[in-house]
Amino acid sequence: MATSPYSPLSQSPESVKLAWQTENLPFNAFGASLKRTFGGRIQRVSIDAGFTCPNVDGAMTKGGCNFCDNRSFSPSRRVRLKRVSEQLASGIAAVTERYKKVAGFIAYFQPATNTYAPVEQLEELFELSLSIDDRVVGLAVGTRPDCVPDCVLDLLERLAVDKHISLEFGMQTIHQAGLDWMNRAHDHASMINAIDRSRGRGFECCTHIILGIPGETHEMMMQTAEEVGRLGFDSIKLHNLYAVEGTPLGEDVKKGKTELMGREDYIQTVVDFLERIPPETIVERVSGEAPPNYLIAPKWCLEKSSVRLAIEGEFKRRGTRQGSKHVAPKVDPAKRSRPSDSTPEPIRDQIEKRSRLPVLKMQC
């Protein structure tokens, strides 16, 4: 098994300060963490290989998540889809022009479910992305918790021997009512099974959480925060529920059927949430954003910098920081047993047995 920088999370002794704490930061911010690891600025380059999702193609259900229009999450879905090699090369060029001093790049497979294809094809795709440019230091792969059979985790473990690999799970919430409302077509048990099979393999395990899901109380969102620590994720992305054009949620917001969280409530909730997760957890994002021409509401999420400053200001006002209210789980995540693979059979067939998918955009 690969030696991993991603050791299971546990509560740090009060006498030992983490790097971000010695720098007097309010939380363990992603950019600073990457800079400590690689010695300079690391930028992600979004890649769209043309994947779909099992709640879109009918493997589990149809319709997709009610908040999701991939055009709003990834620029590649707003234009003609280019080959992965071309996307990565042009993305690196654009970032290099914008930021003069960049130490490296992470190829970020972002929209849709990026492990939902035959594993041999995934291997070819990921290795291609890692070999195009010497400055590519790793991959980030966004997926669903029900789409990581052991063969995919074994692949990522092999890649993580030499490169930085981050597997990003869309957990969103631990509550079934919220998952059903989204039309996720998986339950939280799928997330538990996936993370317990992923932990300790040498790659980073990240989770995405949405705050402000209709019907979820503050207490329910804090229960999700506590679960992040219990399951031992290495990193987390938080964002507010927002509505974009062309989605069921967008239509409900326009008709007044769904109310979205206000800016001040969101800021307070984020700080409450971060106070409850382990101090070791890397915070990759604290708010969501969408292109102005796609966004319906709330408009305040366009003010990404000011939202972050407000979150940092609230930590300062309270005199707290990430992990201030964290309670270590009774069972250390490192001691949780690795369960059997519970990947649903229709998804397993897609990944383990199906022939190559011609829709995936590979090399020029």
Side-chain angles (χ1 to χ4, degrees):
M1 183 176 293
T3 301
S4 171
Y6 302 109
S7 56
L9 304 178
S10 59
Q11 195 168 27
S12 298
E14 287 300 319
S15 59
V16 178
K17 283 192 173 183
L18 300 172
W20 67 270
Q21 294 170 332
T22 64
E23 295 167 7
N24 202 31
L25 299 174
F27 54 85
N28 190 6
F30 182 48
S33 176
L34 285 177
K35 188 173 183 179
R36 294 186 206 103
T37 300
F38 294 101
R41 187 187 190 107
I42 302 296
Q43 288 292 134
R44 287 189 168 188
V45 176
S46 181
I47 302 295
D48 184 348
F51 290 92
T52 184
C53 297
N55 68 341
V56 171
D57 69 1
M60 301 306 294
T61 190
K62 291 186 177 181
C65 297
N66 69 352
F67 57 83
C68 182
D69 179 347
N70 276 305
R71 293 175 303 169
S72 70
F73 302 136
S74 174
S76 62
R77 292 281 164 122
R78 299 174 225 142
V79 297
R80 179 183 65 84
L81 187 59
K82 299 178 181 178
R83 304 284 181 175
V84 165
S85 54
E86 186 179 355
Q87 290 181 51
L88 188 53
S90 61
I92 288 174
V95 171
T96 303
E97 183 176 351
R98 181 177 180 185
Y99 303 105
K100 302 305 179 184
K101 294 182 178 180
V102 181
F105 302 90
I106 293 173
Y108 182 19
F109 288 85
Q110 183 179 17
T113 301
N114 295 276
T115 59
Y116 189 47
V119 67
E120 292 83 4
Q121 204 166 0
L122 292 175
E123 183 172 17
E124 181 181 347
L125 184 65
F126 295 158
E127 288 186 344
L128 167 68
S129 301
L130 290 169
S131 64
I132 285 176
D133 192 304
D134 290 341
R135 294 170 295 175
V136 176
V137 299
L139 302 175
V141 181
T143 191
R144 290 162 50 99
D146 57 354
C147 290
V148 287
D150 284 340
C151 63
V152 169
L153 300 180
D154 292 342
L155 166 61
L156 296 177
E157 184 174 357
R158 293 196 300 272
L159 296 175
V161 172
D162 299 312
K163 295 287 186 176
H164 170 90
I165 305 295
S166 177
L167 184 59
E168 300 190 356
F169 293 107
M171 179 164 77
Q172 318 306 2
T173 177
I174 67 171
H175 300 289
Q176 192 60 45
L179 294 171
D180 291 342
W181 175 82
M182 295 178 192
N183 193 41
R184 291 290 292 179
H186 68 74
D187 56 17
H188 184 57
S190 298
M191 181 71 263
I192 296 173
N193 181 266
I195 183 61
D196 282 347
R197 289 185 294 109
S198 301
R199 194 185 303 102
R201 287 176 174 263
F203 52 79
E204 177 189 85
C205 295
C206 177
T207 184
H208 291 219
I209 304 295
I210 296 177
L211 301 179
I213 297 169
E216 286 204 0
T217 64
H218 182 272
E219 180 182 5
M220 293 168 72
M221 288 184 276
M222 295 308 103
Q223 289 168 352
T224 296
E226 292 162 2
E227 183 76 338
V228 170
R230 188 180 78 86
L231 295 180
F233 287 96
D234 301 296
S235 59
I236 187 171
K237 288 185 173 181
L238 295 177
H239 71 80
N240 56 295
L241 181 67
Y242 59 85
V244 295
E245 297 286 354
T247 63
L249 174 60
E251 292 305 308
D252 283 349
V253 169
K254 287 180 179 179
K255 295 175 182 177
K257 294 181 178 180
T258 300
E259 184 176 352
L260 302 176
M261 185 179 281
R263 183 178 187 274
E264 185 57 32
D265 284 346
Y266 182 73
I267 290 165
Q268 297 295 323
T269 303
V270 168
V271 175
D272 291 340
F273 196 105
L274 294 182
E275 287 176 342
R276 286 165 173 79
I277 69 171
E280 297 91 346
T281 307
I282 299 167
V283 181
E284 298 196 6
R285 184 174 64 193
V286 292
S287 66
E289 59 179 335
N293 56 323
Y294 283 91
L295 181 67
I296 296 171
K299 296 298 186 183
W300 58 260
C301 71
L302 295 173
E303 305 163 2
K304 187 175 179 179
S305 295
S306 69
V307 171
R308 175 162 176 160
L309 287 173
I311 290 168
E312 294 174 353
E314 179 59 19
F315 271 115
K316 184 175 181 180
R317 187 191 70 79
R318 296 185 188 189
T320 62
R321 58 187 175 185
Q322 177 185 334
S324 292
K325 297 181 180 179
H326 171 61
V327 177
K330 294 180 180 179
V331 178
D332 190 302
K335 297 180 180 179
R336 292 176 61 88
S337 60
R338 184 173 291 181
S340 299
D341 186 347
S342 70
T343 303
E345 196 65 28
I347 294 175
R348 188 188 300 276
D349 287 346
Q350 172 85 306
I351 297 172
E352 295 182 350
K353 302 177 182 178
R354 185 169 174 174
S355 59
R356 293 175 63 84
L357 298 179
V359 295
L360 293 192
K361 301 294 183 180
M362 302 281 285
Q363 212 161 354
C364 292

